[in-house]
Amino acid sequence: MDVNGYRSDGVGAAVAMVNFWTADEGAAPPTVDAARAMLAPYSFLVRDARAADLGPLADWSAELRRVFEAERLEDAVDLVNGLLDRVSVRPRLVDHGYGLHVHYALPGAAFVDRVRINTAIGLAALLAEYGVERSGVCAEERCERVYADTSRNGRRRFCSDTCANRANVAAHRARKRASAASPSSHAT
C-alpha cells in the first residue's frame, strides 16, 4: 500500500529531475514551462514554479544524481541523510480537493522547498524498501539517464525500453560477430 504518494511521486520526480537537468550535456537551458511540464505528473502545484527556481532545482538535481550513482547502500544512505538534513519536514494532514493526505511541508512553503522535501522523502523510502539494487544509471553504455525500479520483479537496469532494446541489439550483434570470427564456426 502506498500510504501517501511520496514514494512514487518523490522517486518519479527525482528520476525526472536528474534526467531533465543532468543527463543531456550541451542541451539548451530549460525554460520554466519545460520544468513545469516535467514536474506536473508528480503531483506538484507547478503553477508556483518561477524562473528563479530553475537554478536551485538544477543544483538539487545534481545532488540527487549522486544517490543514483551510489553503488553501496551505505554511501546512498549517507547521501540521502544529507539531503534530509537540509529539508524542513513538518508533516500535516491536508485535504485541498484531492482527498485527505500527508504533506511534509507547511502550507505556503516555497516551491523549491516542496520539491526538495518530496524527492528526499521519496528516495529515503526507496532505499528503505529496496536498497540500491533498484536504482542507478542506465546500463546502456552511451546513456547517462537514471532509473528507479519499484516493480514487483525489480529487474530493470535501463532508463527506457529504447535503451534496453539498443543494448540488446548491440549484444546480439557482438555475439554474431564473435561467432563468425571463432575458428569453430568455419567449415573445415
Side-chain angles (χ1 to χ4, degrees):
M1 170 172 52
D2 189 7
V3 176
N4 61 28
Y6 278 86
R7 182 182 64 205
S8 58
D9 287 347
V11 171
V15 168
M17 290 174 63
V18 169
N19 291 338
F20 184 76
W21 268 292
T22 72
D24 297 324
E25 292 288 323
T31 64
V32 173
D33 287 339
R36 287 176 178 161
M38 178 268 300
L39 287 169
Y42 305 104
S43 302
F44 288 106
L45 298 175
V46 296
R47 68 177 180 267
D48 295 344
R50 305 287 178 253
D53 298 333
L54 296 180
L57 290 174
D59 293 343
W60 185 255
S61 298
E63 293 184 55
L64 296 174
R65 173 175 273 287
R66 295 178 58 214
V67 176
F68 290 96
E69 293 172 340
E71 294 180 11
R72 293 178 347 114
L73 179 60
E74 297 80 9
D75 297 335
V77 167
D78 287 344
L79 290 165
V80 169
N81 280 337
L83 297 173
L84 291 168
D85 285 342
R86 295 180 41 224
V87 298
S88 179
V89 178
R90 298 288 306 266
R92 305 193 69 71
L93 283 173
V94 297
D95 184 355
H96 46 82
Y98 300 104
L100 193 60
H101 59 283
V102 177
H103 275 202
Y104 286 102
L106 290 174
F111 183 76
V112 170
D113 293 336
R114 295 191 316 258
V115 171
R116 287 177 177 160
I117 291 166
N118 189 284
T119 54
I121 295 285
L123 289 180
L126 179 73
L127 286 178
E129 189 162 343
Y130 299 114
V132 293
E133 291 77 30
R134 296 285 194 103
S135 62
V137 178
C138 184
E140 207 285 315
E141 64 187 36
R142 294 169 290 176
C143 185
E144 290 297 318
R145 297 172 63 85
V146 300
Y147 67 90
D149 184 358
T150 58
S151 69
R152 180 172 285 190
N153 70 8
R155 299 179 58 153
R156 185 173 177 180
R157 297 294 172 255
F158 299 94
C159 69
S160 65
D161 289 340
T162 300
C163 280
N165 290 338
R166 186 181 303 135
N168 289 334
V169 168
H172 173 73
R173 289 179 179 159
R175 285 191 302 275
K176 280 182 76 171
R177 282 191 302 273
S179 176
S182 72
S184 62
S185 68
H186 298 301
T188 53

